[in-house]
Amino acid sequence: RRVRKAVVSTQSTGGRARFARAAEDAGIETSVMIHDVEDIITRHVIRRRNADNEKYDYTQFNTFEKIEKELKHISRAHSNIARLVSMGLTNEHRHLYALRVTNHIGPKPTKPIVLIDAGIHAREWVSVSTIMYIINEVVKNPRNDPLIRAFRDSYDFVFMPVLNPDGYVYTWTHDRLWRKNRAPNANSRCVGVDLNRNWDYKWGGEGTSANPCDIDYRGRRPFSELETQAVKQWIEEYKSKIVLYINFHAYGQLWMTPYGYSRDTPSNESEMLDYSQIAVDAIRNVRGTEYDFGPVYTTIYPASSISVDWVRGAEKVLIAYTVELPDRGQHGFITPESEITPIGHETWKGIEKLLIALGSDKKLLRTQEIVVV
């Protein structure tokens, strides 16, 4: 498997030369990916304001309010296959939504569950637009694809589109590059916890911080945050049915397996890597987008107390991934809106091939729509 290591640093105009000299002295190769991040953010915000309207647009980034309205609309307009529930409320009283999609939907999941979440880090807007693209494909099936109907026969899809609503709203109103939630921290002027360092598996280890002012602050204790508590409760209720878990992030083009806390690997790592290969090959076949894959710890960096480690390590969901969506730094977190649909499409094609393989291997596909060979 191909593994890439890189560090991205944002520097002020005055600090850029000093940083370059220090890197050169340390023998580190550097290149400038984005010359003026502030200018890109400013132009991005102006375009969003000029394009603002009440309706959700799948070709644009959307506010939390629009996402919320679209999820409610989907559950009403497609009530035969879609149900929306609130798993709980955030510190600022926003809902944490889970949208379940399956044919012949009932009050509770009865089929193998495919669980996909996004938006746990507020600034990673393309993670949210991608999960919404996939929701649109699975629910509305605009091309009347028999494979999607087959998937709805076979799986309960559960989508958690914005796991950090307060932080996401803050990126629209105050700081486009905000990462954490917006919960106050006792005895600190600094706000927020990194929700993807707050899970109770090897909590507080390498790649986390005890300082509330750091972007990877892990919180006072595992599951200290309302957001992670709500997701934990949902997963613990249905963990025996979950056959695939995917946690969307950006950026890097990485399809990663557990673990992030150390070089330890799950007992079925080779199986997960085989499915990773299937997914990244399918993504590359769409338009040439190259993904690296491998364990979080060695593929990107050490990161303890993350959701994928908890889902696999504590809850024993056998197939679990963290996916860093495009790009590799050309635009960083400020993904151009022209990339929303292409990223959504290629990502779904990767998941589609993975689900076919998983369903065939585990005898999960129960449908008359397609024959899997």
Side-chain angles (χ1 to χ4, degrees), residues 60-305:
Q60 297 178 350
F61 294 114
N62 293 266
T63 63
F64 180 74
E65 290 72 20
K66 288 184 184 179
I67 294 168
E68 186 174 46
K69 287 180 182 177
E70 178 69 0
L71 293 173
K72 290 179 179 178
H73 168 73
I74 288 170
S75 67
R76 288 193 302 267
H78 303 273
S79 59
N80 59 322
I81 61 169
R83 289 198 176 194
L84 183 67
V85 298
S86 173
M87 298 181 291
L89 297 174
T90 67
N91 186 66
E92 295 178 356
H93 307 292
R94 293 184 178 90
H95 287 278
L96 292 154
Y97 288 110
L99 180 73
R100 184 162 60 91
V101 180
T102 190
N103 284 345
H104 312 296
I105 197 164
K108 294 201 178 269
T110 58
K111 303 170 187 174
I113 293 171
V114 174
L115 174 59
I116 306 176
D117 66 46
I120 197 168
H121 286 151
R123 62 192 178 187
E124 298 168 10
W125 288 9
V126 74
S127 72
V128 177
S129 66
T130 298
I131 198 172
M132 292 299 291
Y133 177 96
I134 293 171
I135 287 171
N136 191 57
E137 289 292 301
V138 174
V139 173
K140 300 177 185 177
N141 194 7
R143 286 170 290 280
N144 196 28
D145 186 347
L147 187 56
I148 291 177
R149 294 198 301 271
F151 286 156
R152 293 199 313 243
D153 279 342
S154 305
Y155 300 109
D156 268 288
F157 287 90
V158 177
F159 301 101
M160 300 178 181
V162 189
L163 291 189
N164 183 4
D166 296 348
Y168 185 76
V169 169
Y170 194 76
T171 62
W172 281 79
T173 59
H174 291 82
D175 180 355
R176 175 63 183 83
L177 295 180
W178 186 259
R179 169 181 166 110
K180 301 187 286 184
N181 72 358
R182 293 296 302 165
N185 292 308
N187 304 315
S188 175
R189 61 180 174 80
C190 296
V191 173
V193 168
D194 183 344
L195 295 175
N196 207 34
R197 301 293 186 275
N198 192 236
W199 301 79
D200 192 11
Y201 190 75
K202 311 296 183 180
W203 180 81
E206 193 175 357
T208 73
S209 173
N211 183 350
C213 297
D214 289 343
I215 63 169
D216 55 357
Y217 174 53
R218 60 187 177 241
R220 302 181 311 281
R221 62 183 182 277
F223 294 121
S224 59
E225 304 310 293
L226 295 172
E227 296 90 343
T228 52
Q229 290 170 24
V231 178
K232 170 183 180 286
Q233 184 175 357
W234 192 97
I235 290 177
E236 288 195 329
E237 183 173 356
Y238 297 112
K239 62 185 178 183
S240 65
K241 291 185 175 297
I242 301 172
V243 294
L244 174 63
Y245 171 71
I246 298 176
N247 170 230
F248 280 147
H249 288 265
Y251 56 93
Q253 292 170 208
L254 306 170
W255 196 284
M256 295 181 291
T257 57
Y259 292 112
Y261 75 89
S262 79
R263 293 180 182 273
D264 291 351
T265 56
S267 58
N268 68 324
E269 183 196 30
S270 62
E271 179 185 38
M272 280 194 282
L273 292 175
D274 287 345
Y275 290 130
S276 298
Q277 184 76 68
I278 290 169
V280 302
D281 284 351
I283 290 171
R284 185 181 60 253
N285 288 340
V286 175
R287 57 169 185 157
T289 302
E290 292 279 357
Y291 271 71
D292 298 328
F293 65 94
V296 171
Y297 188 92
T298 54
T299 304
I300 186 167
Y301 44 61
S304 303
S305 325

Side-chain angles (χ1 to χ4, degrees), residues 282-339:
I283 290 171
R284 185 181 60 253
N285 288 340
V286 175
R287 57 169 185 157
T289 302
E290 292 279 357
Y291 271 71
D292 298 328
F293 65 94
V296 171
Y297 188 92
T298 54
T299 304
I300 186 167
Y301 44 61
S304 303
S305 325
I306 60 178
S307 67
V308 74
D309 281 14
W310 179 78
V311 167
R312 177 61 185 90
E315 302 304 284
K316 310 303 180 187
V317 174
L318 293 180
I319 310 297
Y321 299 106
T322 288
V323 175
E324 295 279 358
L325 296 164
D327 52 25
R328 284 183 166 166
Q330 295 91 333
H331 301 96
F333 299 111
I334 318 300
T335 307
E337 291 189 323
S338 61
E339 282 292 294

